[in-house]
Every structure is written in structure tokens, then in C-alpha cells.
Amino acid sequence: MTPTSVEKPHHVDDARMRHISDADLAEAFGVATLADLRAQLSLPGRPRPVWDPARWAAANPASGPAVVAEADALLDRQVDFLDRGMGRSRLYGFHYLGWLNPLIQADALTGDPRYAECFERFFGQWYDSRDDVVGDWPGLDVIWYSLGVASRGAVFAKALAVFGDRLSQTRWAQLVKAIVGGARWAYEEHDSFRHGNWQLFSVAELLHVASVFPEAVEAPAWSARARQRLLDHLDRDFYADGGHHERSPGYHTMCLEALHRAAVIGEQHLGWDLAADERFRATHDWLAKLADDVGWIPHLQDSGVVWPAKLLLRGDYFHPGLGYGDLAAGWLTPAEIAEELSWLPPAPPRAPAAHAVVRGSELLATSRYAILRGAGTQTVVNFGPHVGHELESHSHHAALDFVIAADGVPLAWEAGCPPSYDDPGYYDWYQATRGHNTVQPHNAQLSTERAVVVDTFATLPQLDVFAAHHDGYPVRHDRRIVFVRAEPHYWLVTDVLGQNGFVWRIHGLAPWTDHGPGYRTAGLLVVPADPAGVERSDGPARIPDAATRQADYGTIHGLHLTFDGDRSDVLLTPAAGQQAPPTLSRRGRTLVVRVGDYEDHVTATHWKRFDAHTGTLIEDAAWS
């Protein structure tokens, strides 16, 4: 799509936003002079930022060394705020100024005046040069756009609260002007609902500014508009199953963090119980259901690997008794739990919920992911649409693709999201069909209009079945995944296309080697029922590590099987613990899986397990 923004073309030289005079700033707070305003904003007992560095510092003196080291690294740093060499997208992110947060936290911990002085130096350079910043996205101002205004507003509010009294009069006034100007811009920008993370994130910070600076004459209007937009987003920008509109776990967490901020503001300042809204609760369910047993969520669409434990801990703060805290306690240390809770004010009394979130095999029917869960294994299948965005879509060009993990280690993995949207491989690897575990007819590109229809979803004691089709290619594609959770477990993937000739793709964590009738990578065997042409490739992707709770970039290895007909049947099994390589064959319309001491028969509606030596029927299951 053409990269254009739908944000309104503001006159950003408007004195109400960018060039606020000292007299206008005082008037905005209903006082006569800047001296009066500084005195007013220095009074004890004023509202503090929601994520209050002072409260955090008081509770976490042991965090000092790591935070202080980050701050110390900034003390002698030189910055060019006009440097377009940062990259088209990174320039925008740099001007969020989140990289200044360590200075604020280190000051709250130590009171060392060097951190306030360093912040003032950077802020002054930014403020003096911001009119000259030029970006490369057509129609999108680097400074005056939703994410930039909101992100800086949160940083500035914390800075003012922690060391505002130690800033020079000129820089202090400019800091307040930047906050007020940003709030005015966001208020005008978001006069009507728009889908996506930009607006939700922006109006949550607008609500925050209104609550931290209630003396501002415009604060009631800011608060009312922000609250209305937040309700709009809960109603129209989240699916019924709790997933965010863009279907990306990373952007879902960004939006949920904004809702957390708004919920605390509502409780502390507005008498607004956002936490009581069932739609707010469901956003936490979505994370809990998609999380692997070791605590990460796959990098679906434009997302990094997400570690949702801290967000679920906050979910327990708002919704005790749903099991979010138990999940978080299994993934975080006691010290990490204490630190995360220290950012939050004491919770008001809440009645425990009557039921806990259920984590099993499930069809997230509205956000359009299928979860097939077994003992230690999780499969996530994407059957969602291509979702639009204000700038560029965060949806990938793949349908009915899947990822598989066992015991917290990826077995079948995908490209995920790049380290930066400026990455040269963003379009032809990370977003492209070839970086995903799906099929692709020869010379065919997946349309953004794919209209996936789920034909079957069944979860039974022995197995799960997911079947769907779409018309995103010039021909119809049907895919069925039968996940047998009964030991020995496996996945049987059947694809049917409306033409002869296609490529079947899967990616693992190690180079593929020939193994019996199939191919082997780290932890996974792939066995096709039919002969196929074979190609191999590799590419970068984040690889989650449960021990470190990090997902650094490594290499994933692609196996590309070319089939001449219009159908493929492929067996996927764990690579370890088998006496003999498994086999897959056909008997008429029945697929026969020989695995270990068993012979399984699979049809369009039935699964039967026999003793491979005696032919005795052991168990069976049927679905419609």
C-alpha cells in the first residue's frame, strides 16, 4: 500500500500548540505569571504521574545499579536530533524520547544532580531543534503525530514531577509548554474515532495529562474527549474474545498498557471504574490464552515475542481471582513481582472474580487464531484478515500459517517482526508469504482480501481438528490440521488447492537433513506422503529463550517442498523418542500414520488408533 497517513494536517506552527508564550502558558492554568504557575505546580500533594518514579524508587533501592548504569551511559552522550541517517522509522521512535527515562529513574533513586542536568541538556537540544526535524514518511510529521506526542508526554510528566524544581526557568517553562501543546494537539487530532493503536495510545496519555494537571483550564475538555475515545476503542477496536483490532500481540500489549494507565487514572482521579468493564478484562484473557506454558507469546504479525507476565500481574491487580496472578507468579521471580507492583498505587478493595481464565485448545473466533494445546505443546494457527492501518498494515501476507512449540522451544517457527521497520527484509522476508509456514501456488501472491472461512474446529480428549479455507490466491486453498495429543503425539497437515503445483513451506531452528522418508530439524520430523522437490533456505527471526526471557535474533531454516498435484499430506512429529522413523501413506481416502507401536487411520471425519502389531483397535474419535 502507499505509505500515507490519515492524521489531520494541523497547522503545527499554531501558537496554541508549538509556540506558546509565557503569558499564554500562565493563562492556560488560570494564573497571572509564570512564577505563580511554577509555585502552583510545586505545591505538595499535587497529583503524581500514574507510573510514579518516586514511588518505584522508594520500593526498589536494589534496582539502583542497573538503572544508574543506563543513566550514566547517557551523561557524556552527544545527540543529533536532526540525523536522518537513523532511518525512516527509527527517527520517529528516537523522538519519542523514551531513552531519557533512565535519567529520571536514576535521579529518583539517588538525587544526583548530574541526571537533572543531563536531562535539561537533552531536552533543551530537542526543544530548540524540533521545528527543523524532517522525516521521510509522506504527510507524517516526526514531532506532531499521535505516538510521538503521547510518548513524550509521559516522559515529560515524570521529569517534571521528579526534578522539575531543579530545571532552569527557561527549560522548565518549555517543558510545561511541550506538555500543554501536546495535549492540545491530541485533543484536536482525536475528535472522532479511528481504529488502531495510534489513537488509543494517544488518548490514554491525554487522559493522563488532564489528571496530572487538573489546574489547566482545558483539562476537563481533555479528560472528557479522552474518556469517550477510550470507550470507543473498547467497544469498536477490540474483538469479543479480547484481542486488539490489529491482531498483533505486540501492539495488543501496547494498547493494554495504555488501558492500564487509563484504568488507574479513572480510579485515582475520576471515579471511573474502567476495570469493571468486561471488555477490559477480556484483553487479559487473550494474552493468557495465547501464552505458551513457559510464558511467551509467538511473534504473530508485526510483533516481537511477547512476555506477558507483568501485564497479567497488573491484570490480577484489577481482576483478582481470575488466575492472572498465578500465571505471572510462575513466570516471574518474587523480586520482579514486587518491583512491578511498586509502580502501581495501592489497589482499592475488590471482590474476587467467580471464575478463572481457562487455557486449553480454543478457537479465538473473532480475533481469528486457533490454539491447539497438548501436554507441553502449543500450536497457534492464523486464519485472520489483512487489517488496515493509518500508515502501513501490520498484517503479514500469510493465511492458515501456524507455529508450533514444545516445552517452551519453537519447533515450527516463522519470520515474525524485524528489528526495525527500516530493515531491508521487512517486505520480502518478514511480511512475505515465504517467511511463514503455509503453502503458495506457483507464481501466486496472496491477496489482502482473503476471506478465511473455518469449516471445522473440534477439540476432543485425544485430538484437535482445525479446518478452514480461503480465496486469497487465484485458486481456493483448503487446510486441515489434525493434532493428535494422545501419545505419541503428532500433527497431520492436509492442503488442497484449486490447481496443480504449489510450494509447502515450514521453518525450523536448525538446518534440515534427510531422515528416513522425511526431513529433520531441531526437535521436529517432517514426513510427506508424496515425493516432492526440495529446496532449503534460511533467514533471521527472534528465538525465545525461556531461561533468560529474551528473544534475540537467530536463524531459522526453511524447508520448501514442491508438489506437482493439487494436494499434499504431511506428517509432523517430535524428532526424539521414537524407535523407528514414522511413516505416512494412503489407503484410498484414509491416511495411515505409523508411529511407534501404533497405526493410526485418519479420514475426513474420523481418527482410529490400532495396535500396529496385532491390529487391535485401541481408541477412536469422530468429528463433524
Side-chain angles (χ1 to χ4, degrees):
M1 61 179 290
T2 302
T4 56
S5 169
V6 300
E7 294 214 318
K8 295 196 291 290
H10 292 293
H11 298 292
V12 290
D13 58 347
D14 188 336
R16 294 192 65 257
M17 298 177 189
R18 177 175 283 179
H19 300 294
I20 302 173
S21 69
D22 291 353
D24 289 341
L25 182 62
E27 184 180 351
F29 284 84
V31 296
T33 67
L34 276 188
D36 294 335
L37 177 58
R38 192 158 191 175
Q40 181 185 69
L41 297 186
S42 300
L43 291 173
R46 290 195 68 260
R48 303 282 299 179
V50 168
W51 310 140
D52 187 354
R55 181 172 58 236
W56 168 83
N60 294 282
S63 299
V67 172
V68 167
E70 287 187 73
D72 286 349
L74 294 171
L75 293 177
D76 297 321
R77 182 176 174 182
Q78 300 300 312
V79 168
D80 179 3
F81 286 96
L82 306 182
D83 182 10
R84 295 174 72 174
M86 294 180 190
R88 182 176 61 174
S89 296
R90 281 180 172 166
L91 181 64
Y92 287 80
F94 183 75
H95 282 269
Y96 294 175
L97 303 186
W99 51 273
L100 294 176
N101 276 318
L103 295 171
I104 302 170
Q105 291 177 248
D107 185 277
L109 282 164
T110 69
D112 188 326
R114 294 180 303 160
Y115 302 124
E117 293 166 3
C118 185
F119 176 88
E120 178 162 353
R121 172 170 65 88
F122 281 132
F123 171 76
Q125 291 172 348
W126 173 82
Y127 195 89
D128 293 343
S129 64
R130 62 185 182 146
D131 289 358
D132 300 320
V133 180
V134 178
D136 292 326
W137 282 111
L140 187 65
D141 194 280
V142 175
I143 305 300
W144 299 94
Y145 95 108
S146 292
L147 294 187
V149 166
S151 298
R152 287 190 303 273
V155 174
F156 294 164
K158 287 185 287 187
L160 198 67
V162 170
F163 44 58
D165 287 346
R166 286 169 282 153
L167 299 177
S168 68
Q169 177 68 8
T170 297
R171 296 308 187 193
W172 178 89
Q174 289 171 343
L175 189 62
V176 181
K177 290 174 183 179
I179 294 170
V180 171
R184 287 172 171 173
W185 185 93
Y187 175 79
E188 290 193 12
E189 172 66 27
H190 299 300
D191 58 349
S192 60
F193 170 78
R194 293 201 305 270
H195 282 293
N197 67 81
W198 285 17
Q199 183 176 85
L200 174 54
F201 192 78
S202 185
V203 296
E205 182 54 31
L206 180 61
L207 188 76
H208 183 218
V209 170
S211 67
V212 173
F213 301 99
E215 306 94 337
V217 174
E218 297 156 78
W222 297 341
S223 180
R225 177 155 295 174
R227 180 172 174 176
Q228 182 57 57
R229 291 292 86 78
L230 287 162
L231 290 172
D232 288 342
H233 278 266
L234 276 175
D235 186 45
R236 301 169 61 182
D237 214 27
F238 286 88
Y239 301 106
D241 57 29
H244 180 253
H245 174 73
E246 293 174 78
R247 306 182 58 252
S248 161
Y251 286 102
H252 179 100
T253 61
M254 174 180 166
C255 292
L256 184 52
E257 287 172 347
L259 289 176
H260 284 164
R261 187 161 70 249
V264 173
I265 292 166
E267 287 185 340
Q268 298 292 313
H269 302 292
L270 304 177
W272 177 30
D273 191 3
L274 178 59
D277 195 309
E278 281 295 303
R279 299 165 297 183
F280 178 58
R281 179 200 56 75
T283 63
H284 302 88
D285 282 357
W286 194 80
L287 291 179
K289 291 175 179 180
L290 274 173
D292 186 90
D293 288 345
V294 299
W296 52 260
I297 296 174
H299 51 194
L300 308 165
Q301 314 307 322
D302 271 358
S303 175
V305 176
V306 167
W307 306 84
K310 292 183 178 180
L311 288 171
L312 291 174
L313 188 64
R314 292 187 205 166
D316 186 69
Y317 170 90
F318 293 110
H319 304 290
L322 286 176
Y324 305 138
D326 295 335
L327 286 172
W331 298 332
L332 298 172
T333 66
E336 288 171 325
I337 291 173
E339 177 172 2
E340 182 61 25
L341 292 177
S342 71
W343 285 105
L344 294 161
R350 307 184 201 274
H355 64 279
V357 63
V358 177
R359 282 165 35 86
S361 296
E362 183 170 351
L363 192 74
L364 298 175
T366 49
S367 62
R368 302 186 73 76
Y369 287 107
I371 304 166
L372 316 178
R373 196 184 295 274
T377 69
Q378 175 172 281
T379 305
V380 180
V381 188
N382 163 46
F383 62 97
H386 188 275
V387 179
H389 184 266
E390 292 192 80
L391 193 60
E392 286 195 312
S393 175
H394 291 301
S395 295
H396 286 189
H397 298 289
L400 303 184
D401 52 309
F402 60 85
V403 294
I404 300 174
D407 299 320
V409 178
L411 300 183
W413 207 227
E414 293 187 329
C417 190
S420 165
Y421 293 134
D422 298 323
D423 192 289
Y426 178 47
Y427 298 109
D428 64 3
W429 167 245
Y430 293 101
Q431 278 209 344
T433 306
R434 72 185 184 97
H436 297 77
N437 301 324
T438 187
V439 303
Q440 189 170 12
H442 295 319
N443 302 316
Q445 299 298 318
L446 185 69
S447 169
T448 56
E449 302 297 327
R450 41 194 183 239
V452 181
V453 176
V454 175
D455 302 303
T456 302
F457 182 76
T459 180
L460 304 169
Q462 306 94 332
L463 52 82
D464 295 328
V465 181
F466 171 83
H469 69 271
H470 71 90
D471 297 311
Y473 292 125
V475 295
R476 172 169 160 159
H477 171 212
D478 285 75
R479 166 165 277 188
R480 183 186 70 200
I481 300 173
V482 178
F483 167 54
V484 176
R485 73 167 63 83
E487 294 293 340
H489 61 268
Y490 59 83
W491 299 259
L492 185 56
V493 183
T494 295
D495 291 286
V496 179
L497 286 97
Q499 73 172 48
N500 289 335
F502 62 93
V503 181
W504 190 96
R505 306 183 190 277
I506 194 166
H507 301 78
L509 297 194
W512 294 88
T513 58
D514 294 352
H515 186 83
Y519 311 91
R520 180 173 182 161
T521 185
L524 188 68
L525 287 174
V526 169
V527 181
D530 299 301
V534 180
E535 292 185 3
R536 295 173 173 86
S537 67
D538 57 54
R542 290 180 174 94
I543 312 297
D545 182 343
T548 62
R549 293 207 299 276
Q550 299 293 322
D552 295 330
Y553 279 90
T555 300
I556 59 173
H557 302 267
L559 175 70
H560 312 288
L561 303 179
T562 300
F563 294 100
D564 294 330
D566 64 354
R567 172 180 175 139
S568 67
D569 296 289
V570 182
L571 174 69
L572 284 65
T573 73
Q578 295 162 350
Q579 297 175 350
T583 63
L584 174 63
S585 60
R586 296 192 189 93
R587 293 178 191 168
R589 296 184 177 182
T590 299
L591 293 171
V592 179
V593 178
R594 180 69 182 263
V595 54
D597 294 323
Y598 301 103
E599 181 175 288
D600 293 355
H601 294 183
V602 183
T603 70
T605 57
H606 289 77
W607 170 84
K608 295 183 179 182
R609 172 158 286 179
F610 299 89
D611 184 301
H613 307 289
T614 66
T616 303
L617 177 65
I618 297 173
E619 56 184 330
D620 63 357
W623 60 91
S624 173

